[in-house]
Amino acid sequence: MTLNSTQENTAEIKQSILDEAIQDLSSIQDVIRWGYSRFDEYALFYGHGTDNPWDEAVALVLQSLSLPDDTPDTILQCRLTKSEKQMLVERIGRRINEKIPLAYLTNKANFCGSEYYVDERVLVPRSPIAELIEGQFQPWIDANRVNNILDLCTGSGCIAIACGQYFPHAVVDGGDISVDCIDVAEINREKLQQENVSFYQSDLFDQIPQKRYDIIVSNPPYVDEEDFDEIPEEFLAEPKLGLVSGVDGLDLTHRLLKQANAYLEKDGILVVEVGNSAAALEHLYPTLGFTWLEFERGGHGVFLLTKEQLENI
């Protein structure tokens, strides 16, 4: 990321500026405007829920105050207490100085219309797979006959839980090698009261119940080592285990391709996100015939394969 001269000279926001804001700002709207100006001034990366400094400032302030996204202007003009101002300004300062993703500051992230608890133990939910879940993976599968769904590398549990919401009559299993991830996923399962979802600590399929699935979906780590050395600082706050998978970023994906067939129903599908590693994957499997899915809301590097295709690996 290239910094302009202002950003180079003001790499961190000074405590005196934060103290002044706590003293002088008054309303919710004041802090949003001030936060936007500061975010725009400093070298931040947006990629954990927003893509610009204004939306980042709005989200930080409203989430921190437990206010909805559509909070009316009359409420935005309300005055803040001193403790509220201090909390908001301190979070804005940490967002700038420590490059902490917004979701870790508020412990909140939205996915498929629901709010999830997140912290530094899990990646921040942001997969374009959300769009597929909302459309019940159609036209690739008949949603009415989906009885079992498996989400591997579940992280916060957002994909598994969202599948449980959009397929209420299906049984959904989620697995992750990380005990920390399973702990957070369970927090979210209980928070959203999703009783048709279960989580298992598992290295891919190792500890998953022995049954076949209509849909296996995964957002595994797929960042290669070269890209990891160059990623924005904000991503370094996330667990490396959830980002990197070998030199080419595809170690887990290779295993998924080799093992998934045994766990799929006859007309089942495998959906996997590999992001920027898509070209490398296609080069390694030139005859496999990946279907690369397109998204109205943005996103790339998600492939779909049928059980029949996987039988040829």
Side-chain angles (χ1 to χ4, degrees):
M1 179 179 295
T2 301
L3 308 183
N4 62 38
S5 58
T6 301
Q7 292 168 330
E8 288 174 345
N9 293 330
T10 56
E12 292 190 359
I13 190 167
K14 296 180 179 179
Q15 185 61 45
S16 60
I17 297 175
L18 302 179
D19 292 339
E20 180 185 46
I22 295 171
Q23 177 68 32
D24 294 345
L25 299 176
S26 177
S27 70
I28 298 170
Q29 188 65 62
D30 286 345
V31 178
I32 292 175
R33 195 282 311 157
W34 182 83
Y36 161 73
S37 296
R38 301 292 75 75
F39 289 162
D40 191 50
E41 180 180 357
Y42 292 86
L44 300 183
F45 175 82
Y46 306 98
H48 292 90
T50 73
D51 60 7
N52 63 83
W54 175 257
D55 287 344
E56 187 90 347
V58 170
L60 186 151
V61 172
L62 295 186
Q63 288 181 22
S64 295
L65 296 174
S66 297
L67 292 172
D69 294 340
D70 58 352
T71 296
D73 290 342
T74 52
I75 299 299
L76 296 180
Q77 301 309 315
C78 291
R79 295 181 60 187
L80 293 160
T81 66
K82 184 175 181 179
S83 62
E84 287 174 330
K85 285 193 293 181
Q86 183 166 348
M87 177 264 292
L88 292 171
V89 170
E90 285 180 353
R91 287 185 176 181
I92 290 169
R94 294 191 68 197
R95 178 68 185 89
I96 293 169
N97 291 344
E98 300 176 46
K99 303 296 188 295
I100 299 175
L102 166 63
Y104 292 157
L105 294 169
T106 63
N107 297 122
K108 297 175 182 179
N110 292 313
F111 189 81
C112 281
S114 293
E115 183 182 276
Y116 288 81
Y117 171 85
V118 295
D119 60 30
E120 289 85 349
R121 293 176 289 177
V122 297
L123 298 186
V124 177
R126 53 184 178 274
S127 174
I129 290 173
E131 197 171 311
L132 299 176
I133 298 170
E134 292 166 357
Q136 294 185 304
F137 295 92
Q138 297 186 79
W140 312 108
I141 199 164
D142 180 0
N144 294 321
R145 69 165 183 80
V146 172
N147 298 309
N148 296 287
I149 302 172
L150 175 61
D151 170 33
L152 291 177
C153 306
T154 195
S156 65
C158 62
I159 288 178
I161 292 171
C163 285
Q165 293 171 330
Y166 280 85
F167 294 88
H169 301 298
V171 174
V172 182
D173 294 327
D176 202 291
I177 194 172
S178 166
V179 177
D180 285 341
C181 287
I182 297 301
D183 288 343
V184 174
E186 286 290 355
I187 291 171
N188 284 315
R189 187 185 66 82
E190 294 177 12
K191 170 185 170 72
L192 295 168
Q193 300 180 340
Q194 206 60 44
E195 297 182 358
N196 62 335
V197 177
S198 300
F199 291 108
Y200 303 87
Q201 183 192 2
S202 180
D203 183 0
L204 290 188
F205 296 96
D206 288 354
Q207 301 300 319
I208 297 299
Q210 295 296 311
K211 61 184 175 185
R212 293 182 182 269
Y213 296 90
D214 302 293
I215 301 171
I216 298 177
V217 59
S218 182
N219 180 15
Y222 55 74
V223 179
D224 64 51
E225 290 185 354
E226 182 178 353
D227 282 350
F228 185 78
D229 291 337
E230 299 175 356
I231 61 174
E233 192 173 347
E234 278 81 353
F235 287 107
L236 300 179
E238 296 185 290
K240 187 176 181 180
L241 181 66
L243 292 171
V244 178
S245 183
V247 175
D248 65 357
L250 294 171
D251 282 5
L252 276 178
T253 302
H254 291 309
R255 292 174 57 198
L256 271 170
L257 291 174
K258 293 176 181 177
Q259 298 175 27
N261 176 53
Y263 292 86
L264 278 173
E265 289 283 8
K266 179 181 178 181
D267 297 319
I269 58 173
L270 172 69
V271 176
V272 181
E273 179 176 349
V274 293
N276 290 338
S277 295
L281 184 67
E282 196 155 32
H283 176 74
L284 291 169
Y285 298 89
T287 64
L288 196 50
F290 295 98
T291 297
W292 295 101
L293 304 177
E294 298 182 357
F295 301 93
E296 293 182 1
R297 300 198 298 262
H300 69 284
V302 177
F303 70 77
L304 182 148
L305 292 170
T306 64
K307 178 180 175 64
E308 183 179 2
Q309 289 174 300
L310 290 166
E311 289 173 349
N312 297 324
I313 295 180

